[in-house]
Every structure is written in structure tokens, then in C-alpha cells.
Amino acid sequence: MILHSLHDRSDLAARFERDPAMNLMELGDLDDLPWPHTSWYTLSQDGPVALLYAVGDVPTLLGFTRPGQAAALEGLAEALLPVLPRRFLGHLTGNAAKVLESGYVAQSHSTLLRMALTEPDMADRYPAGPWEPAPLSRDDLPELLELFEQAYPGNWFDDRMLDTGQYLGARQAGQLVAVAGVHVHSAGYRVAAIGNVTTHPRVRGQGAGGACVAALCRRLGETVDHIGLNVRADNATAVRLYRRLGFSEVTEFTEALFTARP
């Protein structure tokens, strides 16, 4: 097996645009801001592509494919073993994560769902109730970080995401109590991946988070054609909310932290 490194954005875009719901993150990472931090690998012209995204202390490896190419992704994972960093977070479909365990110890195993907005009218009809989600800016960063510390510790957040203009927050008595934002937003490739959705424990169950996500879907719909998100499969409350908002399941994948064996 010969591992090939890819550098042509137009070629990568053509590959991923065949299945944008599956490849939201990859398409978004073709944008100018994340592109310098990406490395792309494949074994063949028509085979799966793996993305190593090196931002923050721990790089992230993405490897997504439909079941028909699961074996090809496993072969790609095996070929990647000599070039991967000593520690990384993996998001991988099928049994690719198990293949990597021949050279790595996998910790914090979780099963996640990739969901895509397939019925946007449902988000349009979601009742806002008393909440009035509004855009957040750099000025709101300290308050946003405080909310994450209280309600979503350990989440993955890069403050440059605020510069997309795609973070909405809801307030109660002037305090930020709910937020919905993006991990990826690309008007050029017409995709967005929602992330960093959280609600202060004090107001959970009152519709604040759902109102933020619904408003964000409407806002994103002005610039993109494909909206998706990742959610833990065992988070029944969140999965139920996203289905109510018009999202449906695209695939299931494994998330794990990989550390090289001694």
C-alpha cells in the first residue's frame, strides 16, 4: 500500500462534494483559515481520504466513509500508522479505530452520531418562547468562556470561531445562559457544522438551547446548503432535540484519544 499526500484543494473539494453531509468538516477545512493546518492522505484516486487537522495541543484525525468503503478506510488507517503524531484525537467510521490500536492505546472511547439538517422547515417552526438569541462577538468572549466552564467543561473551542459571526447566545436577566455556534462555516463550500451548543444548568429544559440552534440554522441557511453536527449517541435528550429541529442521522462513528504505544 502506497500512502499518497494530497495538496490540490479543487480535487479534494470534488471528492467531498459527492457526499457533503458525510464530509462537512473536510469541506469546511478547505477554507483559507484552516487550510494551512491540514494534511490529507489517501491510498487511491477513488478511495477514502483522511484529514489530520493540527490546531491546538492535540491534532484531530478525521476518516469518514460509507459502509461500502469501510475496508478501504481500514487499509488507509493501517498505512497512516508510521506518519501519525504520538497523540491525537480520532473521529473514524467503521473499524478504522480498531486498526489504529495496533500501534496506539485508545482512551475515552465514545460513539457519536453525525446528523444533517434534512427538514429545515422544522427548525423554522421551532418555538422560541421567551428567548431572543442574538449574535455574539469578541466582546462576549469572557462571558462565553465562563458559560463553557460552568456548563460544558472540556469542550473544543477556538476563539477564532467567533470571527465567523455564527455564534448566537440567549440571555436571562442580562446573563448569557445558552449558546449555539459552529466548528466549521464555509460560505465558499456551502457547508456548516454546528458545535459548542450548551445551556446553563439553571435554565436547562426551558428551550433556550433549542431556540439558539433553531435561530442559528435559519442564519446559516442564508449562506450554506448543508448543515450538520456531531452528538454523542447516548445523549438521548440532545438527539431528541435535534430530530425535533429537523436533523436526521447520517452515520455513526468512534471518537477516541490515541496515544502511541511505548
Side-chain angles (χ1 to χ4, degrees):
M1 296 183 293
I2 300 176
L3 186 65
H4 300 279
S5 179
L6 303 175
H7 307 280
D8 186 329
R9 272 196 274 192
S10 61
D11 175 65
L12 287 164
R15 287 172 178 255
F16 298 135
E17 284 169 348
R18 299 170 196 158
D19 197 348
M22 181 72 81
N23 297 299
L24 287 169
M25 299 290 189
E26 291 89 341
L27 281 166
D29 286 338
L30 296 175
D31 263 353
D32 289 343
L33 183 64
W35 173 254
H37 307 285
T38 62
S39 300
W40 310 81
Y41 301 96
T42 191
L43 292 177
S44 67
Q45 180 62 36
D46 296 319
V49 174
L51 161 62
L52 186 65
Y53 182 56
V55 168
D57 296 333
V58 181
T60 300
L61 176 70
L62 300 182
F64 280 64
T65 192
R66 295 288 181 178
Q69 285 198 310
L73 182 60
E74 292 166 23
L76 177 57
E78 183 177 359
L80 283 167
L81 285 168
V83 303
L84 290 172
R86 290 192 57 81
R87 193 164 181 260
F88 63 91
L89 181 69
H91 283 183
L92 301 153
T93 55
N95 291 318
K98 293 187 180 298
V99 172
L100 293 176
E101 289 180 26
S102 65
Y104 288 81
V105 176
Q107 301 169 297
S108 306
H109 265 281
S110 300
T111 300
L112 277 71
L113 301 178
R114 165 67 53 77
M115 303 184 77
L117 184 63
T118 52
E119 298 181 70
D121 289 349
M122 294 178 67
D124 291 341
R125 296 195 301 268
Y126 187 87
W131 308 106
E132 299 180 0
L136 302 179
S137 70
R138 285 270 175 178
D139 293 340
D140 301 296
L141 181 58
E143 198 173 4
L144 178 60
L145 293 176
E146 182 180 356
L147 176 60
F148 285 149
E149 183 177 350
Q150 294 172 335
Y152 198 0
N155 70 312
W156 193 90
F157 173 71
D158 180 343
D159 59 25
R160 293 179 302 172
M161 297 174 184
L162 277 173
D163 299 333
T164 64
Q166 305 296 337
Y167 270 69
L168 301 183
R171 297 180 180 275
Q172 185 181 70
Q175 180 185 1
L176 186 66
V177 294
V179 65
V182 293
H183 286 313
V184 163
H185 173 256
S186 173
Y189 294 101
R190 309 291 295 179
V191 297
I194 292 174
N196 289 313
V197 177
T198 194
T199 303
H200 194 284
R202 188 180 71 246
V203 298
R204 283 179 183 158
Q206 298 179 31
C212 287
V213 175
L216 180 59
C217 288
R218 292 191 291 271
R219 184 180 181 88
L220 289 171
E222 298 172 4
T223 57
V224 308
D225 299 321
H226 302 281
I227 300 171
L229 53 83
N230 297 334
V231 59
R232 284 180 60 111
D234 61 1
N235 188 343
T237 300
V239 172
R240 188 163 51 247
L241 170 64
Y242 294 137
R243 285 176 176 155
R244 184 181 174 192
L245 287 164
F247 288 83
S248 59
E249 183 178 337
V250 176
T251 192
E252 180 179 286
F253 65 95
T254 297
E255 178 184 73
L257 181 65
F258 292 88
T259 304
R261 295 185 183 276

